[in-house]
mmCIF file of all heavy atoms in Angstrom:
data_model
loop_
_atom_site.group_PDB
_atom_site.id
_atom_site.type_symbol
_atom_site.label_atom_id
_atom_site.label_comp_id
_atom_site.label_asym_id
_atom_site.label_seq_id
_atom_site.Cartn_x
_atom_site.Cartn_y
_atom_site.Cartn_z
ATOM 1 N N ALA A 37 -28.673 -22.599 -12.208
ATOM 2 C CA ALA A 37 -28.202 -21.315 -11.696
ATOM 3 C C ALA A 37 -27.247 -21.553 -10.525
ATOM 4 O O ALA A 37 -27.215 -22.643 -9.959
ATOM 5 C CB ALA A 37 -29.402 -20.482 -11.232
ATOM 6 N N PRO A 38 -26.482 -20.536 -10.132
ATOM 7 C CA PRO A 38 -25.641 -20.682 -8.954
ATOM 8 C C PRO A 38 -26.503 -20.954 -7.718
ATOM 9 O O PRO A 38 -27.639 -20.497 -7.643
ATOM 10 C CB PRO A 38 -24.938 -19.326 -8.825
ATOM 11 C CG PRO A 38 -25.146 -18.630 -10.114
ATOM 12 C CD PRO A 38 -26.373 -19.218 -10.744
ATOM 13 N N GLY A 39 -25.940 -21.686 -6.765
ATOM 14 C CA GLY A 39 -26.646 -21.919 -5.518
ATOM 15 C C GLY A 39 -26.897 -23.389 -5.264
ATOM 16 O O GLY A 39 -26.313 -24.260 -5.904
ATOM 17 N N THR A 40 -27.787 -23.646 -4.329
ATOM 18 C CA THR A 40 -28.095 -25.007 -3.897
ATOM 19 C C THR A 40 -29.286 -25.555 -4.665
ATOM 20 O O THR A 40 -30.289 -24.867 -4.836
ATOM 21 C CB THR A 40 -28.396 -25.033 -2.385
ATOM 22 O OG1 THR A 40 -27.271 -24.518 -1.688
ATOM 23 C CG2 THR A 40 -28.680 -26.448 -1.904
ATOM 24 N N HIS A 41 -29.154 -26.777 -5.102
ATOM 25 C CA HIS A 41 -30.223 -27.463 -5.838
ATOM 26 C C HIS A 41 -30.496 -28.795 -5.162
ATOM 27 O O HIS A 41 -29.604 -29.384 -4.556
ATOM 28 C CB HIS A 41 -29.811 -27.662 -7.298
ATOM 29 C CG HIS A 41 -29.498 -26.365 -7.972
ATOM 30 N ND1 HIS A 41 -30.461 -25.567 -8.528
ATOM 31 C CD2 HIS A 41 -28.324 -25.702 -8.118
ATOM 32 C CE1 HIS A 41 -29.899 -24.473 -9.011
ATOM 33 N NE2 HIS A 41 -28.595 -24.533 -8.778
ATOM 34 N N ARG A 42 -31.706 -29.269 -5.271
ATOM 35 C CA ARG A 42 -32.113 -30.489 -4.577
ATOM 36 C C ARG A 42 -32.681 -31.480 -5.584
ATOM 37 O O ARG A 42 -33.460 -31.122 -6.457
ATOM 38 C CB ARG A 42 -33.161 -30.127 -3.534
ATOM 39 C CG ARG A 42 -33.706 -31.298 -2.765
ATOM 40 C CD ARG A 42 -34.387 -30.825 -1.516
ATOM 41 N NE ARG A 42 -33.354 -30.411 -0.560
ATOM 42 C CZ ARG A 42 -33.611 -29.858 0.612
ATOM 43 N NH1 ARG A 42 -34.836 -29.625 0.985
ATOM 44 N NH2 ARG A 42 -32.630 -29.541 1.420
ATOM 45 N N ALA A 43 -32.252 -32.728 -5.437
ATOM 46 C CA ALA A 43 -32.790 -33.815 -6.265
ATOM 47 C C ALA A 43 -33.198 -34.939 -5.325
ATOM 48 O O ALA A 43 -32.575 -35.142 -4.283
ATOM 49 C CB ALA A 43 -31.737 -34.307 -7.257
ATOM 50 N N GLY A 44 -34.216 -35.672 -5.681
ATOM 51 C CA GLY A 44 -34.664 -36.787 -4.856
ATOM 52 C C GLY A 44 -34.516 -38.097 -5.604
ATOM 53 O O GLY A 44 -34.575 -38.141 -6.840
ATOM 54 N N TRP A 45 -34.291 -39.153 -4.850
ATOM 55 C CA TRP A 45 -34.231 -40.500 -5.433
ATOM 56 C C TRP A 45 -35.084 -41.425 -4.588
ATOM 57 O O TRP A 45 -34.897 -41.526 -3.373
ATOM 58 C CB TRP A 45 -32.798 -41.016 -5.500
ATOM 59 C CG TRP A 45 -32.666 -42.335 -6.193
ATOM 60 C CD1 TRP A 45 -33.284 -42.702 -7.355
ATOM 61 C CD2 TRP A 45 -31.878 -43.448 -5.792
ATOM 62 N NE1 TRP A 45 -32.919 -43.984 -7.699
ATOM 63 C CE2 TRP A 45 -32.056 -44.470 -6.754
ATOM 64 C CE3 TRP A 45 -31.042 -43.684 -4.718
ATOM 65 C CZ2 TRP A 45 -31.428 -45.694 -6.659
ATOM 66 C CZ3 TRP A 45 -30.411 -44.909 -4.637
ATOM 67 C CH2 TRP A 45 -30.605 -45.899 -5.600
ATOM 68 N N ASP A 46 -36.003 -42.108 -5.238
ATOM 69 C CA ASP A 46 -36.931 -42.988 -4.534
ATOM 70 C C ASP A 46 -36.477 -44.444 -4.524
ATOM 71 O O ASP A 46 -37.244 -45.336 -4.180
ATOM 72 C CB ASP A 46 -38.328 -42.875 -5.148
ATOM 73 C CG ASP A 46 -38.346 -43.241 -6.620
ATOM 74 O OD1 ASP A 46 -37.291 -43.632 -7.176
ATOM 75 O OD2 ASP A 46 -39.423 -43.152 -7.233
ATOM 76 N N GLY A 47 -35.213 -44.692 -4.899
ATOM 77 C CA GLY A 47 -34.688 -46.054 -4.854
ATOM 78 C C GLY A 47 -35.111 -46.921 -6.022
ATOM 79 O O GLY A 47 -35.088 -48.139 -5.926
ATOM 80 N N THR A 48 -35.466 -46.276 -7.144
ATOM 81 C CA THR A 48 -35.830 -47.044 -8.337
ATOM 82 C C THR A 48 -34.842 -46.771 -9.456
ATOM 83 O O THR A 48 -34.144 -45.760 -9.463
ATOM 84 C CB THR A 48 -37.254 -46.702 -8.822
ATOM 85 O OG1 THR A 48 -37.309 -45.313 -9.164
ATOM 86 C CG2 THR A 48 -38.303 -47.025 -7.766
ATOM 87 N N ASP A 49 -34.820 -47.700 -10.423
ATOM 88 C CA ASP A 49 -33.952 -47.519 -11.582
ATOM 89 C C ASP A 49 -34.673 -46.692 -12.642
ATOM 90 O O ASP A 49 -35.780 -46.190 -12.415
ATOM 91 C CB ASP A 49 -33.464 -48.869 -12.110
ATOM 92 C CG ASP A 49 -34.572 -49.745 -12.680
ATOM 93 O OD1 ASP A 49 -35.701 -49.249 -12.935
ATOM 94 O OD2 ASP A 49 -34.313 -50.948 -12.887
ATOM 95 N N ALA A 50 -34.058 -46.560 -13.810
ATOM 96 C CA ALA A 50 -34.615 -45.722 -14.873
ATOM 97 C C ALA A 50 -35.954 -46.251 -15.392
ATOM 98 O O ALA A 50 -36.741 -45.509 -15.969
ATOM 99 C CB ALA A 50 -33.611 -45.596 -16.021
ATOM 100 N N GLN A 51 -36.234 -47.531 -15.179
ATOM 101 C CA GLN A 51 -37.508 -48.116 -15.607
ATOM 102 C C GLN A 51 -38.548 -48.117 -14.486
ATOM 103 O O GLN A 51 -39.629 -48.676 -14.653
ATOM 104 C CB GLN A 51 -37.295 -49.555 -16.091
ATOM 105 C CG GLN A 51 -36.615 -49.660 -17.453
ATOM 106 C CD GLN A 51 -35.119 -49.367 -17.378
ATOM 107 O OE1 GLN A 51 -34.431 -49.804 -16.469
ATOM 108 N NE2 GLN A 51 -34.614 -48.595 -18.329
ATOM 109 N N GLY A 52 -38.204 -47.530 -13.342
ATOM 110 C CA GLY A 52 -39.144 -47.449 -12.239
ATOM 111 C C GLY A 52 -39.181 -48.674 -11.338
ATOM 112 O O GLY A 52 -40.043 -48.780 -10.467
ATOM 113 N N ARG A 53 -38.233 -49.594 -11.538
ATOM 114 C CA ARG A 53 -38.181 -50.801 -10.696
ATOM 115 C C ARG A 53 -37.344 -50.535 -9.458
ATOM 116 O O ARG A 53 -36.283 -49.916 -9.567
ATOM 117 C CB ARG A 53 -37.567 -51.962 -11.476
ATOM 118 C CG ARG A 53 -38.374 -52.382 -12.706
ATOM 119 C CD ARG A 53 -37.651 -53.468 -13.465
ATOM 120 N NE ARG A 53 -36.318 -53.017 -13.864
ATOM 121 C CZ ARG A 53 -35.823 -53.132 -15.096
ATOM 122 N NH1 ARG A 53 -36.521 -53.694 -16.052
ATOM 123 N NH2 ARG A 53 -34.606 -52.701 -15.375
ATOM 124 N N PRO A 54 -37.769 -51.034 -8.288
ATOM 125 C CA PRO A 54 -36.957 -50.848 -7.075
ATOM 126 C C PRO A 54 -35.604 -51.533 -7.219
ATOM 127 O O PRO A 54 -35.529 -52.648 -7.742
ATOM 128 C CB PRO A 54 -37.785 -51.532 -5.982
ATOM 129 C CG PRO A 54 -39.166 -51.622 -6.521
ATOM 130 C CD PRO A 54 -39.025 -51.726 -8.017
ATOM 131 N N VAL A 55 -34.553 -50.848 -6.778
ATOM 132 C CA VAL A 55 -33.225 -51.449 -6.802
ATOM 133 C C VAL A 55 -33.064 -52.341 -5.577
ATOM 134 O O VAL A 55 -33.789 -52.211 -4.596
ATOM 135 C CB VAL A 55 -32.117 -50.367 -6.832
ATOM 136 C CG1 VAL A 55 -32.239 -49.499 -8.072
ATOM 137 C CG2 VAL A 55 -32.127 -49.525 -5.571
ATOM 138 N N GLY A 56 -32.104 -53.240 -5.639
ATOM 139 C CA GLY A 56 -31.827 -54.128 -4.514
ATOM 140 C C GLY A 56 -31.072 -53.406 -3.418
ATOM 141 O O GLY A 56 -30.520 -52.325 -3.632
ATOM 142 N N PRO A 57 -31.027 -53.998 -2.228
ATOM 143 C CA PRO A 57 -30.256 -53.397 -1.149
ATOM 144 C C PRO A 57 -28.773 -53.412 -1.481
ATOM 145 O O PRO A 57 -28.305 -54.264 -2.230
ATOM 146 C CB PRO A 57 -30.578 -54.286 0.053
ATOM 147 C CG PRO A 57 -31.044 -55.580 -0.523
ATOM 148 C CD PRO A 57 -31.642 -55.262 -1.856
ATOM 149 N N GLY A 58 -28.042 -52.456 -0.930
ATOM 150 C CA GLY A 58 -26.606 -52.410 -1.151
ATOM 151 C C GLY A 58 -26.097 -50.992 -1.232
ATOM 152 O O GLY A 58 -26.807 -50.034 -0.940
ATOM 153 N N VAL A 59 -24.849 -50.870 -1.662
ATOM 154 C CA VAL A 59 -24.180 -49.575 -1.765
ATOM 155 C C VAL A 59 -24.312 -49.058 -3.197
ATOM 156 O O VAL A 59 -24.078 -49.788 -4.159
ATOM 157 C CB VAL A 59 -22.692 -49.694 -1.379
ATOM 158 C CG1 VAL A 59 -21.964 -48.368 -1.581
ATOM 159 C CG2 VAL A 59 -22.557 -50.151 0.066
ATOM 160 N N TYR A 60 -24.684 -47.805 -3.321
ATOM 161 C CA TYR A 60 -24.770 -47.131 -4.612
ATOM 162 C C TYR A 60 -23.904 -45.884 -4.548
ATOM 163 O O TYR A 60 -23.610 -45.375 -3.466
ATOM 164 C CB TYR A 60 -26.224 -46.780 -4.935
ATOM 165 C CG TYR A 60 -27.035 -48.024 -5.185
ATOM 166 C CD1 TYR A 60 -27.571 -48.755 -4.126
ATOM 167 C CD2 TYR A 60 -27.213 -48.509 -6.471
ATOM 168 C CE1 TYR A 60 -28.267 -49.935 -4.350
ATOM 169 C CE2 TYR A 60 -27.920 -49.683 -6.698
ATOM 170 C CZ TYR A 60 -28.437 -50.386 -5.632
ATOM 171 O OH TYR A 60 -29.112 -51.550 -5.858
ATOM 172 N N LEU A 61 -23.476 -45.415 -5.702
ATOM 173 C CA LEU A 61 -22.627 -44.226 -5.793
ATOM 174 C C LEU A 61 -23.404 -43.138 -6.503
ATOM 175 O O LEU A 61 -23.984 -43.373 -7.567
ATOM 176 C CB LEU A 61 -21.339 -44.547 -6.554
ATOM 177 C CG LEU A 61 -20.522 -45.699 -5.957
ATOM 178 C CD1 LEU A 61 -19.360 -46.038 -6.883
ATOM 179 C CD2 LEU A 61 -20.016 -45.358 -4.576
ATOM 180 N N VAL A 62 -23.414 -41.960 -5.917
ATOM 181 C CA VAL A 62 -24.066 -40.801 -6.521
ATOM 182 C C VAL A 62 -22.960 -39.877 -6.995
ATOM 183 O O VAL A 62 -22.112 -39.455 -6.205
ATOM 184 C CB VAL A 62 -24.973 -40.079 -5.499
ATOM 185 C CG1 VAL A 62 -25.631 -38.874 -6.143
ATOM 186 C CG2 VAL A 62 -26.019 -41.031 -4.951
ATOM 187 N N ARG A 63 -22.950 -39.594 -8.296
ATOM 188 C CA ARG A 63 -21.867 -38.778 -8.860
ATOM 189 C C ARG A 63 -22.430 -37.499 -9.473
ATOM 190 O O ARG A 63 -23.324 -37.547 -10.313
ATOM 191 C CB ARG A 63 -21.077 -39.562 -9.901
ATOM 192 C CG ARG A 63 -19.873 -38.746 -10.395
ATOM 193 C CD ARG A 63 -18.875 -39.587 -11.122
ATOM 194 N NE ARG A 63 -19.373 -39.991 -12.424
ATOM 195 C CZ ARG A 63 -18.939 -41.041 -13.091
ATOM 196 N NH1 ARG A 63 -18.025 -41.825 -12.579
ATOM 197 N NH2 ARG A 63 -19.435 -41.317 -14.269
ATOM 198 N N LEU A 64 -21.864 -36.382 -9.055
ATOM 199 C CA LEU A 64 -22.176 -35.079 -9.623
ATOM 200 C C LEU A 64 -21.044 -34.693 -10.558
ATOM 201 O O LEU A 64 -19.878 -34.674 -10.152
ATOM 202 C CB LEU A 64 -22.310 -34.029 -8.514
ATOM 203 C CG LEU A 64 -22.482 -32.588 -8.997
ATOM 204 C CD1 LEU A 64 -23.802 -32.397 -9.722
ATOM 205 C CD2 LEU A 64 -22.362 -31.621 -7.831
ATOM 206 N N GLU A 65 -21.393 -34.396 -11.800
ATOM 207 C CA GLU A 65 -20.402 -33.918 -12.767
ATOM 208 C C GLU A 65 -20.802 -32.522 -13.199
ATOM 209 O O GLU A 65 -21.948 -32.297 -13.595
ATOM 210 C CB GLU A 65 -20.359 -34.835 -13.987
ATOM 211 C CG GLU A 65 -19.874 -36.237 -13.672
ATOM 212 C CD GLU A 65 -19.847 -37.108 -14.904
ATOM 213 O OE1 GLU A 65 -19.083 -36.786 -15.839
ATOM 214 O OE2 GLU A 65 -20.592 -38.089 -14.933
ATOM 215 N N SER A 66 -19.861 -31.582 -13.096
ATOM 216 C CA SER A 66 -20.121 -30.202 -13.503
ATOM 217 C C SER A 66 -18.795 -29.494 -13.719
ATOM 218 O O SER A 66 -17.858 -29.692 -12.942
ATOM 219 C CB SER A 66 -20.936 -29.477 -12.433
ATOM 220 O OG SER A 66 -21.209 -28.158 -12.838
ATOM 221 N N ALA A 67 -18.744 -28.671 -14.737
ATOM 222 C CA ALA A 67 -17.569 -27.836 -15.028
ATOM 223 C C ALA A 67 -16.285 -28.662 -15.079
ATOM 224 O O ALA A 67 -15.251 -28.267 -14.561
ATOM 225 C CB ALA A 67 -17.448 -26.712 -13.994
ATOM 226 N N GLY A 68 -16.357 -29.851 -15.676
ATOM 227 C CA GLY A 68 -15.182 -30.673 -15.850
ATOM 228 C C GLY A 68 -14.704 -31.377 -14.590
ATOM 229 O O GLY A 68 -13.640 -31.978 -14.577
#
Side-chain angles (χ1 to χ4, degrees):
T40 302
H41 302 276
R42 178 163 286 175
W45 185 44
D46 59 2
T48 61
D49 66 14
Q51 286 75 42
R53 297 176 302 229
V55 299
V59 176
Y60 292 83
L61 303 173
V62 180
R63 185 165 72 203
L64 173 66
E65 295 180 63
S66 181

